[in-house]
Amino acid sequence: MPDEISPPTGWAATVLRVLAVCGYGTWMLLGLGLALGVYSNGRGESLVPLLVGAVFASLGPLLASVGVPGLRDWRGWRLDSSLRPSREALLAMLTYLPMLGLAALARGDNDFWATWLVSAVLAACSFACLVYAARGQRPRRRGGLTGQLPVDRVITACYGGGLWLLLCVVSQDPLVRTGTTRMWIIGLLLLALLLGLAEGMRWQSVAGPVRSAPRRWQRRFMAAVLTYAVPCLGLLLTHYWADARWLVLLAALCCVVGRSIELRLFEAVSGR
């Protein structure tokens, strides 16, 4: 088998997919936190994560609508040649409705029952969008639980989206050493562990092609360092750093780059 197999998508499309997953993960965690009443109060604390998620989720359709080469297909819908969206694209667009509703309901406190309801709908729609989108992205060679369920995609959304959500909170609240933020960091470390286990199970289905190409092992190691080692180390150092915002930003950016490298490598070795 040759050392290189070109994936069907370019780097830009891969990064946009990872950013979209992080965006929906940010919405899902924010909606879940508001619905359960465990997220901090404040209008800005809700609007900023909503904006970050909207930017990440909207980059794909915006670039597809202007006909950028290589990015004209968005979730199975070619906006330049068809007016009928695919089911996946329609579900993704429907997720914007509870997002806009939550933005309108956001206020100093989150005790309004309508806020809880819309937040729960946003979390459910984001989760449904992640699960439905994973249907068409399963590898041909399926192995273990990750070959049957979109486990790694949902965990990636929680992990990547959680990093960006933590960045939004830390940027507005300098008291990063509070107990709530400490629990967030512990949760993100556990998500990193779960994601590593899920990815390990998924890579078992293509272990042969990876072993036959040493360069792929090097790229996968680099992806693991960027996805897990650097973010986790940055999270652990937030309690000893004067300004934790830059550490969390570095962790979030490294996670996006690492996941993009790993996703593109997996597409190459699985022949998708």
Side-chain angles (χ1 to χ4, degrees):
M1 179 176 292
D3 183 66
E4 296 290 339
I5 300 178
S6 299
T9 58
W11 276 105
T14 302
V15 173
L16 288 178
R17 286 165 54 190
V18 174
L19 286 176
V21 170
C22 293
Y24 285 108
T26 303
W27 284 351
M28 182 174 63
L29 293 178
L30 176 65
L32 187 62
L34 289 174
L36 297 178
V38 297
Y39 189 72
S40 57
N41 292 325
R43 183 173 176 82
E45 280 73 3
S46 299
L47 291 180
V48 173
L50 289 175
L51 177 61
V52 171
V55 171
F56 289 166
S58 303
L59 285 175
L62 287 177
L63 294 177
S65 62
V66 298
V68 176
L71 302 175
R72 296 177 180 176
D73 182 273
W74 178 65
R75 298 183 180 274
W77 180 24
R78 293 187 63 91
L79 284 76
D80 58 345
S81 60
S82 175
L83 297 178
R84 183 178 180 180
S86 62
R87 294 180 181 178
E88 182 181 341
L90 184 60
L91 179 59
M93 289 187 293
L94 288 177
T95 310
Y96 282 80
L97 295 179
M99 184 273 294
L100 295 174
L102 181 58
L105 291 171
R107 55 184 66 189
D109 57 70
N110 302 312
D111 296 332
F112 189 35
W113 65 269
T115 303
W116 298 342
L117 178 60
V118 175
S119 300
V121 174
L122 175 62
C125 290
S126 300
F127 178 79
C129 186
L130 291 168
V131 172
Y132 191 86
R135 295 184 320 115
Q137 297 180 5
R138 299 177 185 176
R140 293 176 182 175
R141 306 170 188 174
R142 302 176 182 178
L145 182 62
T146 53
Q148 302 171 2
L149 299 174
V151 177
D152 62 319
R153 187 178 181 88
V154 175
I155 300 177
T156 298
C158 293
Y159 179 51
L163 288 172
W164 288 103
L165 184 59
L166 178 61
L167 176 62
C168 296
V169 173
V170 171
S171 299
Q172 299 180 80
D173 183 9
L175 300 178
V176 69
R177 296 176 179 83
T178 59
T180 302
T181 307
R182 188 177 298 112
M183 294 303 299
W184 278 27
I185 293 175
I186 295 175
L188 288 172
L189 294 177
L190 292 176
L191 285 172
L193 176 61
L194 290 176
L195 180 59
L197 293 175
E199 284 297 310
M201 294 173 61
R202 190 172 70 152
W203 275 97
Q204 291 298 319
S205 61
V206 291
V210 175
R211 291 196 185 99
S212 63
R215 291 182 59 187
R216 288 175 179 161
W217 275 115
Q218 298 173 4
R219 295 177 185 178
R220 192 187 172 198
F221 176 77
M222 180 175 62
V225 170
L226 293 174
T227 304
Y228 309 107
V230 175
C232 291
L233 181 60
L235 292 175
L236 292 174
L237 291 177
T238 53
H239 290 278
Y240 306 99
W241 205 267
D243 192 351
R245 293 175 296 179
W246 300 107
L247 286 175
V248 181
L249 176 60
L250 176 64
L253 292 176
C254 287
C255 178
V256 172
V257 176
R259 290 301 297 161
S260 300
I261 295 174
E262 187 156 16
L263 178 59
R264 188 167 173 84
L265 179 60
F266 185 81
E267 289 177 341
V269 299
S270 62
R272 292 184 56 247

